[in-house]
C-alpha cells in the first residue's frame, strides 16, 4: 500500500506485481497481453511503440512476433499528427492493441505528455488508424526517479518501475503496476511455485490463484528487499519533502548546467558541446534532469577524463537506439555499418569514420548538489578551454533556486553557492594551457636535420637510410601478474601469446572479478619476478615475506570458469591456492585470490585486434586487454615529459614516466611519435604487426613506485596531444619460420615499415607538429 500511496492510487485501481526489474516487467506484459494474432476472423492486434524507447520495450516485439502479432514503431512527431476517425461500423471493435511510450526519455530527458494516456483511451489519439481498443504501457522507470506520478489522474494500464532508480536501493527489484480493469484479461501459460491454487501432474489441469499478484509472481519474491521499500519511501519523503521538491531541485541543477554548458565557446566562437534535446530546458514539466551531449572534438576520452574528477558519466546510446539515431542523425545503414566495423553496444569505440557512435549523458538525482554541477562544468572547462576562454564569465546564467523547498530539505538557500560565474583557483587557471603555451612547450629533445628512414619496396627488407640513426630496443618489461609491478629484463623468450609468462596470472576479488589498479592502486606495489632456471615466480612486497608460485601449469587442479570484464572475453583459469591468496589478502587488506590462465584454453583475440593480419594467423592472447605487446618510444616520452613538467610542481623522472605507461617494449628512436606511422616492425628474427594506438586511461595517473594518484598526468597527455589520449602502439607477433630462437633482446635493431602513402620528410618543428 505504501507503493500505491506514493503514486497517489489505491488497491481498488491497481495491483502491484513484483519483478526482478523493469525489463522483467516489460517481458511479463508482452507474454501475458491478450493479443489477437494474424489469420483469425477477428481483426488482429498491433504492438506500437515510440522510437524513443528503451531497448527492453523494443525487445517486446520479439515476443509479439512469436505470437503472430505485428509491431509498428512510431516516431514522436507522428503521434501528434495521428487521427482516429474510424468508420462507424469499426468503432465497436474490441481487438486489444498496445501502445508503449516513455514518460521521460532516458536518452534526452524529454518528458512526453501524460495526457496521451487518456487521449489514447478515449479514441482522441491513436498511433495508427486501425479498429480496436488501445491499452497504454507507460514506461515510467526514468520518470519516477525524479518526478511525481499521479495514477489517480493518469491511469495508464501498465506501469513498469525500478526501485533502485528512485532511491538507489535495492537493485534487482522492480514492479509492474497493472490497472485492475485489464488485469483479468491477462493470460499466463507458465505457472511457478506459489502461483497455483491447484494443479494435477498426470492431467492437464491447473487452476490459478485468485490474486493477480500471486498469479504472476513465480517462485519466491525478494521479500527482504520488499520490506526495505517502506523505509526507502519514508526516508525519501523525510529528506526531501516529496517528489515535487525533488523535481524542482533536480531541474534547477539541470537548467543551470545546461545554460552554462550551452554558452561555452572556444576562442574562435565555436561551441564546446552539442546538446541533444527536444526542449530549451525552461520547463520541468517537459524536461527531466538529463543532459545529453557530445564534445565537439575529434576524440572520445570524456569518460576516462571524467573519472579523474570523481564524475560518473554514461556514454554510448544508453539502450535507446531510436533516440540516438534521431538526435545524431544516424540512418539504419549507419548502425549496420558500425556493427560491421566492430562497434557493439557498450564498447569504447566512440568514432567511426569521423562520426560519433553515441554521446555523453549526465543526470541529476535527489542527492545531487550545486557543487556536483559546478565540478562537472569545471571539468569541461579545464579540459577543453584555454585560460582566456575559461576567464569569460557567463553573465546570462541565472542562479538555480528552489524557493518552495523548506529549509530542512534539500535547497540552494546559500547565496554564496549560487554565483553564476564558475570559480577557479589561480592554480587551476595556471594549469589550463593556452594553445600558444601548448605549442611552445613541445620541443624535440634532439631535433634531427634529416629523415632516418627510406621507403622500401615490397620485396626488400626494411632498412634505415645510410647516415640515419638506428632504432633500437631500450628496455623490455613483462608483467607476470596483470596490473601488478613490472619485471624488467635484458632479454626474454617469446611465446605464442607474447613475452613468456607475461600476464599469465591475475588477482580477482571474492566474487571472481579481475582487480586492476583502477580499483586497487596498491597492486603496483606487488613485485613479481620470474626465475626461469628454478621455474618459479617469486612475489615480493614491502613488509611481507616473499612467496613463490611454480611456473609449471598445474593442470591437475580443477579449472574454474571465470568471466573477466577487464579482458572482455571468457578465459579458463585455475586457482593458485590458499597460501598466495592469504598473502595477497593480507597485503591489499581485502579478500582476493590469484588465478592463472589454463594452458588448454587460450583466449582468442578480438576481430578488431587482428585487422590486417593473415586470416590463417592463429593469434592467442594471455590476460591482456587488447594485444600481445605494447610499444612506446623514449623520444615520445621525453617530449611528453617536458609538457607534463611544466604543469607539475615537481618534475617527473624519465624512468618513472616510462613505468607509468606499462609497455612491454621501449624503443629508442630519433623522432617522437614516429611509431604511429608504422604498420609493421622487425626486431631480429621476430616480426610484429601494428594493430592500432593505445588509448590511455587513468592508470597512467598512478605512480608505479608509491601507488599514489595524480590526475594531472592524463590531463597533460590530453592537452599535449591535441586532446587525444593515445600513447604507444599495440603489436601482434607474426612468428617466422626460421632457425633463429625467438628471443627479444635489449639493443636489438628495430626495422619499421611505414603506412602506405606516408611521405618520408625531415622532422618538422614541434609547433608545426602540434598544429595538426
Amino acid at each position: 500500500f505504501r507503493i500505491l500511496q506514493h503514486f497517489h492510487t489505491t488497491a481498488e485501481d491497481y495491483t502491484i506485481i513484483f519483478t526482478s526489474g523493469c525489463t522483467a516487467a516489460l517481458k511479463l506484459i508482452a507474454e501475458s497481453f491478450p493479443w489477437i494474432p494474424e489469420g483469425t476472423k477477428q481483426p488482429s492486434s498491433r504492438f506500437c511503440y515510440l522510437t524513443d524507447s528503451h531497448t527492453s520495450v523494443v525487445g517486446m516485439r520479439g515476443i509479439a512476433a512469436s505470437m503472430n502479432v505485428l509491431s509498428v514503431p512510431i516516431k514522436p512527431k507522428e503521434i501528434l499528427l495521428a487521427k482516429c476517425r474510424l468508420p462507424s461500423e469499426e468503432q465497436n471493435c474490441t481487438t486489444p492493441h498496445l501502445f508503449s511510450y516513455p514518460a521521460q526519455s532516458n536518452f534526452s530527458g524529454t518528458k512526453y505528455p501524460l495526457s496521451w494516456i487518456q487521449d489514447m483511451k478515449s479514441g482522441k489519439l491513436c498511433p495508427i488508424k486501425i479498429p480496436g481498443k488501445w491499452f497504454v504501457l507507460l514506461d515510467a522507470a526514468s520518470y519516477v526517479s525524479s518526478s511525481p506520478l499521479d495514477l489517480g489522474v493518469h491511469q495508464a494500464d501498465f506501469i513498469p518501475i525500478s526501485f533502485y532508480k528512485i532511491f538507489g536501493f535495492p537493485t534487482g527489484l522492480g514492479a509492474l503496476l497493472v490497472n485492475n480493469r485489464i488485469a483479468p484479461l491477462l493470460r499466463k501459460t507458465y505457472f511457478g511455485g506459489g502461483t497455483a491454487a491447484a494443479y494435477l501432474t498426470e492431467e492437464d489441469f491447473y487452476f490459478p490463484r485468485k490474486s493477480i499478484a500471486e498469479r504472476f509472481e513465480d517462485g519466491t519474491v525478494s521479500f527482504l528487499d520488499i520490506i526495505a521499500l517502506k523505509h526507502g519511501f519514508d526516508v525519501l519523503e523525510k529528506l526531501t519533502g516529496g517528489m515535487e521538491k525533488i523535481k524542482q531541485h533536480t531541474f534547477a541543477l539541470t537548467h543551470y548546467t545546461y545554460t552554462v554548458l550551452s554558452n561555452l565557446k572556444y576562442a574562435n566562437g565555436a561551441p564546446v558541446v552539442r546538446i541533444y534535446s527536444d526542449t530549451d530546458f525552461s520547463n520541468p514539466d517537459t524536461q527531466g534532469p538529463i543532459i545529453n551531449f557530445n564534445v565537439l572534438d575529434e576524440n572520445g576520452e570524456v569518460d576516462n577524463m571524467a573519472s579523474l574528477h570523481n564524475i560518473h558519466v554514461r556514454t554510448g546510446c544508453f539502450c535507446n537506439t531510436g533516440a540516438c539515431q534521431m538526435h545524431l542523425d544516424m540512418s539504419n545503414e549507419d548502425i549496420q555499418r558500425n556493427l560491421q566495423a566492430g562497434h557493439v553496444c557498450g564498447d569504447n569505440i566512440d568514432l567511426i569514420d569521423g562520426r560519433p557512435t553515441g554521446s555523453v549523458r549526465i543526470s541529476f538525482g535527489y542527492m545531487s548538489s550545486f557543487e556536483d554541477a559546478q565540478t562537472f562544468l569545471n571539468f569541461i572547462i579545464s579540459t577543453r578551454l584555454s585560460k582566456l576562454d575559461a576567464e569569460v564569465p557567463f553573465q546570462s546564467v541565472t542562479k538555480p533556486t528552489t524557493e518552495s523547498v523548506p529549509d530542512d530539505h534539500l535547497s540552494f538557500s546559500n547565496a554564496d553557492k549560487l554565483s553564476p560565474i564558475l570559480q577557479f583557483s589561480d592554480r587551476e587557471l595556471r594549469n589550463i594551457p593556452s594553445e600558444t603555451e601548448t605549442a611552445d612547450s613541445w620541443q624535440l629533445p634532439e631535433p634531427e636535420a634529416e629523415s632516418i628512414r627510406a621507403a622500401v619496396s615490397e620485396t626488400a627488407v626494411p632498412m634505415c637510410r645510410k647516415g640515419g640513426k638506428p632504432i633500437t630496443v631500450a628496455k623490455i618489461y613483462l608483467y607476470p601478474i596483470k596490473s601488478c609491478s613490472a619485471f624488467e629484463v635484458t632479454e626474454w623468450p617469446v611465446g605464442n601469446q607474447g613475452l613468456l609468462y607475461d600476464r599469465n596470472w591475475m588477482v580477482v576479488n571474492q566474487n571472481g572479478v579481475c582487480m586492476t589498479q583502477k580499483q586497487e592502486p596498491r597492486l603496483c606495489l606487488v613485485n613479481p619476478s620470474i626465475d626461469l632456471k628454478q621455474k618459479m615466480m617469486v612475489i615480493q612486497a614491502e613488509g611481507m615475506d616473499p612467496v613463490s608460485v611454480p611456473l609449471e601449469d598445474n593442470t591437475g587442479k580443477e579449472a574454474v570458469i571465470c568471466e573477466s570484464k577487464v579482458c572482455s572475453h571468457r578465459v579458463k583459469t585455475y586457482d593458485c591456492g590458499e597460501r598466495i591468496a592469504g598473502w595477497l589478502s593480507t597485503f591489499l587488506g581485502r579478500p582476493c585470490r590469484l588465478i592463472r590462465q589454463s594452458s588448454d584454453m587460450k583466449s582468442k583475440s578480438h576481430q578488431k585486434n587482428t585487422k590486417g593480419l593473415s586470416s590463417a594467423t592463429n593469434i592467442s592472447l594471455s590476460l591482456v586487454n587488447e594485444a600481445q605487446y605494447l610499444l612506446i618510444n623514449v623520444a615520445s616520452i621525453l617530449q611528453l615529459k617536458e609538457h607534463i613538467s611544466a604543469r607539475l610542481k615537481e618534475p617527473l623522472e624519465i624512468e618513472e614516466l616510462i613505468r607509468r605507461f606499462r609497455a612491454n617494449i621501449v624503443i629508442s628512436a630519433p623522432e617522437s611519435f614516429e611509431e604511429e606511422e608504422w604498420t609493421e616492425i622487425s626486431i631480429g628474427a621476430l616480426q610484429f604487426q601494428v594493430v592500432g594506438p593505445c588509448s590511455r586511461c587513468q592508470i597512467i595517473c598512478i605512480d608505479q613506485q608509491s601507488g599514489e594518484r595524480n590526475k594531472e598526468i592524463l590531463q597533460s597527455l590530453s592537452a599535449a596531444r591535441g586532446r587525444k589520449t593515445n600513447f604507444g602502439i599495440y603489436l601482434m607477433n607474426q612468428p617466422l619460420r626460421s632457425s633463429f630462437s625467438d628471443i627479444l633482446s635489449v639493443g636489438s635493431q628495430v626495422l619499421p615499415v611505414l603506412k602506405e602513402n606516408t611521405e618520408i620528410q625531415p622532422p618538422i618543428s614541434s609547433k608545426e607538429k602540434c598544429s595538426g
Side-chain angles (χ1 to χ4, degrees), residues 303-611:
D303 192 13
N304 284 336
M305 296 294 288
S307 64
L308 298 180
H309 295 254
N310 295 320
I311 301 169
H312 176 70
V313 297
R314 276 198 66 182
T315 59
C317 279
F318 321 104
C319 296
N320 192 331
T321 301
C324 196
Q325 285 186 258
M326 177 174 64
H327 287 285
L328 274 67
D329 193 26
M330 292 193 292
S331 66
N332 295 342
E333 291 73 22
D334 291 332
I335 298 293
Q336 293 170 341
R337 276 195 296 267
N338 289 348
L339 177 63
Q340 293 173 353
H343 170 59
V344 296
C345 293
D347 66 14
N348 59 358
I349 300 178
D350 301 312
L351 291 171
I352 292 179
D353 295 331
R355 296 187 61 187
T357 60
S359 55
V360 182
R361 185 185 74 185
I362 61 171
S363 55
F364 296 101
Y366 74 90
M367 296 187 73
S368 301
S369 66
F370 176 59
E371 286 74 16
D372 294 333
Q374 196 173 45
T375 297
F376 169 73
L377 292 168
N378 285 342
F379 151 67
I380 291 292
I381 291 173
S382 66
T383 57
R384 295 291 145 181
L385 298 179
S386 68
K387 178 177 178 179
L388 292 176
D389 296 327
E391 289 177 333
V392 177
F394 304 104
Q395 302 289 355
S396 61
V397 180
T398 57
K399 62 187 181 182
T401 177
T402 54
E403 296 177 356
S404 60
V405 182
D407 292 339
D408 58 339
H409 296 305
L410 295 175
S411 66
F412 296 111
S413 57
N414 188 341
D416 292 338
K417 295 181 180 180
L418 302 180
S419 170
I421 303 175
L422 296 183
Q423 302 298 318
F424 296 91
S425 67
D426 292 339
R427 182 175 177 275
E428 283 176 316
L429 287 175
R430 284 198 302 272
N431 288 341
I432 304 173
S434 65
E435 293 178 5
T436 303
E437 291 170 338
T438 302
D440 291 342
S441 68
W442 276 82
Q443 299 294 329
L444 286 170
E446 295 180 7
E448 297 296 322
E450 61 180 356
S451 173
I452 61 155
R453 295 193 306 269
V456 296
S457 67
E458 294 182 359
T459 56
V461 177
M463 297 290 288
C464 291
R465 196 174 68 176
K466 290 183 178 180
K469 290 186 178 181
I471 304 171
T472 59
V473 176
K475 292 178 179 291
I476 300 172
Y477 296 103
L478 62 147
Y479 306 84
I481 306 176
K482 182 178 177 67
S483 222
C484 289
S485 180
F487 175 47
E488 185 175 1
V489 296
T490 55
E491 63 176 24
W492 200 255
V494 171
N496 64 345
Q497 291 183 306
L499 293 173
L500 194 63
Y501 301 118
D502 182 47
R503 295 177 176 88
N504 270 203
W505 293 264
M506 68 180 177
V507 180
V508 296
N509 63 18
Q510 57 189 346
N511 297 318
V513 177
C514 176
M515 292 170 56
T516 71
Q517 290 184 30
K518 290 182 181 179
Q519 301 88 32
E520 182 50 78
R522 282 172 54 82
L523 281 170
C524 70
L525 306 180
V526 176
N527 298 288
S529 59
I530 301 291
D531 188 330
L532 293 177
K533 292 183 178 180
Q534 298 295 325
K535 297 183 179 181
M536 297 292 288
M537 176 174 67
V538 179
I539 307 174
Q540 303 178 75
E542 186 176 351
M544 302 288 292
D545 293 331
V547 64
S548 59
V549 177
L551 295 182
E552 292 183 357
D553 194 354
N554 194 346
T555 55
K557 291 194 174 185
E558 182 180 355
V560 178
I561 300 299
C562 164
E563 187 81 27
S564 172
K565 291 183 179 179
V566 176
C567 299
S568 301
H569 52 262
R570 197 169 184 84
V571 292
K572 191 174 182 180
T573 64
Y574 64 83
D575 192 284
C576 293
E578 296 297 331
R579 187 168 63 96
I580 183 60
W583 191 95
L584 287 168
S585 299
T586 299
F587 179 72
L588 297 175
R590 61 166 73 180
C592 55
R593 307 192 69 82
L594 184 70
I595 62 174
R596 184 181 185 182
Q597 185 180 18
S598 179
S599 61
D600 62 348
M601 183 179 177
K602 301 302 184 182
S603 167
K604 298 298 185 292
S605 70
H606 300 292
Q607 185 176 0
K608 65 178 181 179
N609 292 335
T610 58
K611 186 176 181 180

Side-chain angles (χ1 to χ4, degrees), residues 608-620:
K608 65 178 181 179
N609 292 335
T610 58
K611 186 176 181 180
L613 296 177
S614 169
S615 59
T617 303
N618 187 18
I619 298 297
S620 181

